[in-house]
Amino acid sequence: MTSTDHDAGLDDAGLDVDAAAEPLRRALARHLADHGLLADSRWRRAVETVPRHRFVPGFYASTGRRDEQGLPVWEPVTEQIDRERWLASAYTDTTLITQFDAEEPDWDDPAPRAGGGPTSSSTLPSLVLRMWLDADLEEGHKVLEIGTGTGYSTALACERLGDYGEITSIEVDDRRLHQAANALYGIGYAVNLAVADGLYGYWPHAPYDRIVAACSLRAVPVSWLAQTRPGGKILATLSGWVYGSARVLLTTAVDGTAEGPLLPGTISFMAARAQERPAPGNPADWDALTRSAPGRPARYAPGRLDEATDEAFFGRFLAQLAAPNTQQLTSPDGDTMHLIDITTGSAATLTSGGDGYTVRQAGPLRLWDAVETAWDTWDRAGRPGPETFRMHVQPGRQSITHVGSNDLDFLLPVTEPAPTRTSYH
């Protein structure tokens, strides 16, 4: 699994780039060490060794401008366009967007683009490291990584484990995996790669000691439990259609269940593609559902969903748990916010006026009532952080509960069937 000479087979220009990257890697390692992420010398060596620029032939940077339709304009950055900017960016602790709308760019001749949803990126190194550190990789582990992406995080894990572990990494996008494979194998990392939907795990190399997801999920696939050894760990990011996120570290049991704490911090990943938010339709149609419904004063302004604090970030996740199939639509002027549930036809509309907001609700579920109840209970409890919650997973049922309180219990949306038991346990 160890790498070979990183410069092998490169031309003179490539050698110059690799030489210029060495001090940038050391500087990145110092930055991460200053933030307490490289206490383990084996991880520091990995950061100082893995050439991130080999995994990012290009990325899109925001121009800060919008086109005539109001869409944000993105410009490509490659070695050919601006070598200094491209190389420096590769060794900053930032996420580099490499794909929009599942459309793979031609990095030999990339074009600017407007709008779109990011569907692949090279995640900021500090987040990648925190992910691997939380998973507690050790020599001898068999690891399944869900979401290869560019392959940079895979390379770090390969470098850390060396010849004393086995890593399998799967990616649903065949073009993404092809590029990652070229980089990983070109450098010399012996890793198992496959095009596969991570929601089903990857049976051929199971059972695993660790399953680590580099994408967010609405619920933990039960197949992952069946593919993890008893006592093994699953690290996943939970999210949904309101884009609230929390991480969980589960430990599997012999009976096919798993349990573990939510982890602190405000980490988020792109959604697993099969679980991305469905198109919501025309906001005016949802507005029409609630227009004739009776209104009442809202106890909270909708802006609480968008506050930029760690505490509010977790509050958004709790709101999402309270109304798990909900999406948020906000008017361009910010005066009207809709919560909609396309699975039940429920909707809540909040409009500003006077001293606060009025909420009108329609359909079988009272979405804003559910959010307010969750926030009321959370506020009364002193707004406890994610580390005071635990997740319990069993076939057909997944829940998140607050330790010491029965008033903050939530069920996650589970729709997949339980897999057939295997002999791994």
Side-chain angles (χ1 to χ4, degrees):
M1 185 174 294
T2 53
S3 63
T4 58
D5 182 358
H6 291 169
D7 295 338
L10 295 180
D11 57 21
D12 290 341
L15 287 169
D16 290 341
V17 170
D18 283 345
E22 289 184 14
L24 298 177
R25 283 199 298 275
R26 291 195 295 270
L28 175 61
R30 288 193 297 271
H31 169 81
L32 297 174
D34 289 343
H35 287 77
L37 293 170
L38 294 179
D40 186 330
S41 61
R42 293 166 296 187
W43 281 114
R44 180 158 193 153
R45 178 181 179 278
V47 173
E48 292 178 339
T49 301
V50 175
R52 190 186 185 202
H53 67 279
R54 295 281 196 93
F55 297 89
V56 189
F59 65 92
Y60 280 102
S62 172
T63 65
R65 305 191 306 273
R66 292 184 177 270
D67 68 2
E68 61 276 6
Q69 296 180 334
L71 299 174
V73 176
W74 301 84
E75 62 182 356
V77 179
T78 67
E79 179 181 3
Q80 291 71 31
I81 293 172
D82 188 337
R83 175 183 287 190
E84 184 175 349
R85 182 185 182 187
W86 164 75
L87 191 60
S89 297
Y91 295 100
T92 55
D93 190 26
T94 48
T95 292
L96 304 176
I97 297 174
T98 56
Q99 187 191 80
F100 287 88
D101 300 332
E103 299 172 357
E104 189 68 16
D106 177 5
W107 290 117
D108 292 328
D109 186 24
R113 61 165 299 132
T119 49
S120 188
S121 66
S122 180
T123 304
L124 66 162
S126 60
L127 174 49
V128 171
L129 269 174
R130 191 188 305 183
M131 176 182 73
W132 289 126
L133 290 170
D134 287 337
D136 193 23
L137 267 60
E138 294 292 345
E139 282 79 1
H141 277 171
K142 287 182 66 177
V143 181
L144 174 63
E145 179 187 35
I146 308 291
T148 312
T150 65
Y152 175 68
S153 64
T154 315
L156 288 176
C158 287
E159 192 68 44
R160 162 64 180 83
L161 291 182
D163 293 324
Y164 303 101
E166 179 183 327
I167 294 178
T168 298
S169 186
I170 60 175
E171 170 63 48
V172 72
D173 187 326
D174 60 341
R175 294 164 300 177
R176 285 276 82 206
L177 190 73
H178 178 74
Q179 181 175 297
N182 285 339
L184 287 162
Y185 295 148
I187 293 171
Y189 292 115
V191 55
N192 303 317
L193 299 175
V195 176
D197 187 336
L199 295 180
Y200 298 94
Y202 196 63
W203 291 98
H205 294 291
Y208 304 100
D209 299 287
R210 298 288 187 270
I211 293 182
V212 179
C215 59
S216 67
L217 308 148
R218 301 190 69 213
V220 174
V222 179
S223 58
W224 293 6
L225 275 63
Q227 294 175 37
T228 306
R229 300 182 193 275
K233 297 183 184 297
I234 297 171
L235 180 67
T237 298
L238 303 171
S239 189
W241 299 338
V242 181
Y243 303 124
S245 297
R247 293 179 304 145
V248 64
L249 182 63
L250 299 169
T251 300
T252 57
V254 175
D255 62 0
T257 64
E259 181 182 350
L262 301 190
L263 302 179
T266 56
I267 285 177
S268 62
F269 279 102
M270 295 176 188
R273 291 196 182 177
Q275 294 187 353
E276 288 178 345
R277 189 177 88 158
N282 189 338
D285 293 335
W286 293 99
D287 182 69
L289 291 181
T290 60
R291 194 173 301 147
S292 60
R296 67 164 176 84
R299 294 199 299 277
Y300 301 99
R304 181 169 178 174
L305 285 169
D306 302 313
E307 292 175 3
T309 66
D310 288 358
E311 186 177 70
F313 188 89
F314 186 60
R316 185 184 187 93
F317 178 70
L318 294 180
Q320 180 178 271
L321 291 179
N325 294 315
T326 295
Q327 301 183 48
Q328 178 186 5
L329 305 175
T330 303
S331 64
D333 59 14
D335 290 337
T336 302
M337 189 272 282
H338 303 288
L339 288 185
I340 66 169
D341 181 347
I342 68 166
T343 67
T344 64
S346 303
T349 300
L350 285 88
T351 54
S352 65
D355 296 329
Y357 280 80
T358 297
V359 58
R360 291 180 170 83
Q361 302 178 89
L365 301 179
R366 293 297 179 258
L367 302 178
W368 194 247
D369 287 359
V371 170
E372 288 187 332
T373 298
W375 281 346
D376 286 345
T377 308
W378 186 49
D379 288 350
R380 286 196 302 269
R383 298 191 181 185
E387 63 277 6
T388 66
F389 289 76
R390 293 186 70 80
M391 184 175 185
H392 306 263
V393 180
Q394 60 192 59
R397 180 183 173 87
Q398 300 188 22
S399 62
I400 291 176
T401 61
H402 181 244
V403 177
S405 171
N406 295 325
D407 295 329
L408 281 167
D409 292 354
F410 304 93
L411 292 177
L412 277 73
V414 179
T415 57
E416 66 173 351
T420 302
R421 299 300 303 145
T422 72
S423 60
Y424 295 145
H425 294 154

